Amino acid sequence: MKILVPGNVPFDLTIDVPGVEVARYVMRDPVPAEHADADALVTWSSPQRVLEDAARRMTRLRWVQTLNAGPDQALAAGFGPEVVISSGRSLHDTTVAEHTLALVLASVRRLDRTFAAQREHVWDRDLGTEQARDEARFTLRGARVTIWGFGSIAEVLAPLLAALGARVTGVASSAGERYGFPVVASIDEVAPTTDLLISLLPATDATHHALDARVLGLLPAHARFVNVGRGATVDEEALVAALRDGTIAGAALDVTETEPLPEASPLWDAPHLVLTPHVAGGRPQGAAAFVTEQLKAWLADGADGLRNVVAR
């Protein structure tokens, strides 16, 4: 078996499995002709054009393992139905949870406002007065936090929020209890009582612009929104309008629908908005061990042995 693995990643991706030939490629370059016969392909941050080229030229390919938590790029590349796609779900849980918590606290504690004041050399005395007058809007203690997309990242994030006093509810495809937290099946059930909405949604046809003007209108005016899932799940025009009109109090985004964010995007100047450039995940944690485990499972049981197989 021959597996093609990116060789220019800034983390360990050493694969040593008996009977397996490991070939290397440069993530931003097309797969070399001598390796187009590979049976499996590992991807991380290759441009879409590289994945699309691989889908056309790698005719022997049977399995694509992406190290990204979301498989949307691989799904959109055009790999044939015979190609199994598995995601890097769980490899980014800790770092994404940490970054999400940072964005939450930055928004709730109004660090966007203090950073702006710092740049202007202004000591914002009003902020302390506002906090004393309406403390509940500046703390997670007692806040009703909704996590939309209650998967493995939420398993790490929810206890962190709860430790700071938040009351966490999840939204997923089925209701019940998960990781010790209540879960409902519809955002409509909890939006009107949500103080902070966190989206961890993947990009699918069903989640496209899931946060739109209608859902924003269900949230209380003091609510805040944080997105560390995928940018395509947010109607950005509706979000900017809600921030400008005061329909919601603030937002923080690590992802946008177009990345890099275009210079002319109104998000740059939207009020009460914190932006980070899709850096929540960072490098996949334990990638070498994960791919090795997946490879051994493939050799033993084929697709049936893999974790994180994506439905197509």
Side-chain angles (χ1 to χ4, degrees):
M1 179 180 181
K2 183 176 184 177
I3 187 169
L4 193 56
V5 176
N8 59 326
V9 294
F11 50 86
D12 178 38
L13 200 48
T14 303
I15 310 298
D16 185 10
V17 177
V20 175
E21 177 187 354
V22 179
R24 303 284 173 174
Y25 72 103
V26 177
M27 289 184 294
R28 293 197 168 273
D29 295 341
V31 171
E34 64 268 28
H35 298 318
D37 62 344
D39 304 285
L41 172 68
V42 177
T43 75
W44 180 46
S45 62
S46 290
Q48 196 66 26
R49 58 176 172 77
V50 171
L51 296 180
E52 292 172 356
D53 177 72
R56 287 191 300 268
R57 295 172 47 233
M58 299 184 71
T59 56
R60 291 186 53 183
L61 197 65
R62 292 297 176 266
W63 169 35
V64 173
Q65 173 66 65
T66 175
L67 299 180
N68 299 86
D72 41 299
Q73 277 191 293
L75 289 172
F79 292 105
E82 74 283 358
V83 179
V84 177
I85 296 177
S86 51
S87 76
R89 184 176 184 266
S90 81
L91 298 181
H92 304 270
D93 292 355
T94 300
T95 50
V96 173
E98 289 176 352
H99 195 82
T100 305
L101 184 60
L103 290 178
V104 165
L105 292 172
S107 184
V108 170
R109 300 298 298 181
R110 295 307 316 275
L111 296 191
D112 58 313
R113 178 167 157 179
T114 59
F115 290 156
Q118 179 182 347
R119 287 192 295 271
E120 298 298 325
H121 297 193
V122 172
W123 190 263
D124 189 354
R125 298 179 184 275
D126 292 339
L127 186 59
T129 302
E130 292 170 23
Q131 181 177 342
R133 185 171 59 244
D134 194 5
E135 182 183 11
R137 301 293 178 248
F138 289 84
T139 181
L140 288 176
R141 182 174 296 278
R144 295 161 297 186
V145 177
T146 298
I147 301 179
W148 198 0
F150 212 72
S152 61
I153 296 172
E155 182 179 9
V156 178
L157 176 63
L160 300 177
L161 296 166
L164 292 173
R167 293 177 284 169
V168 180
T169 300
V171 179
S173 56
S174 58
E177 183 179 293
R178 194 177 297 180
Y179 316 131
F181 295 91
V183 175
V184 300
S186 171
I187 188 64
D188 291 17
E189 294 183 48
V190 288
T193 56
T194 292
D195 300 311
L196 173 68
L197 174 60
I198 300 170
S199 176
L200 299 174
L201 291 173
T204 67
D205 290 342
T207 63
H208 182 72
H209 286 188
L211 185 88
D212 55 12
R214 186 192 69 82
V215 175
L216 286 164
L218 295 176
L219 295 169
H222 67 263
R224 295 178 179 276
F225 172 68
V226 174
N227 187 18
V228 287
R230 284 293 183 264
T233 64
V234 175
D235 181 339
E236 293 175 352
E237 183 177 339
L239 177 61
V240 170
L243 290 168
R244 287 176 175 169
D245 297 344
T247 304
I248 63 171
L253 309 176
D254 182 57
V255 290
T256 56
E257 189 155 20
T258 301
E259 296 178 357
L261 187 63
E263 185 178 351
S265 171
L267 287 172
W268 290 112
D269 298 310
H272 316 304
L273 176 64
V274 177
L275 281 171
T276 57
H278 202 156
V279 292
R283 66 179 64 190
Q285 307 295 306
F290 175 77
V291 174
T292 298
E293 178 187 334
Q294 288 281 80
L295 185 53
K296 290 178 178 178
W298 174 272
L299 292 173
D301 300 306
D304 292 339
L306 294 177
R307 292 167 51 190
N308 304 348
V309 171
V310 181
R312 304 182 66 191

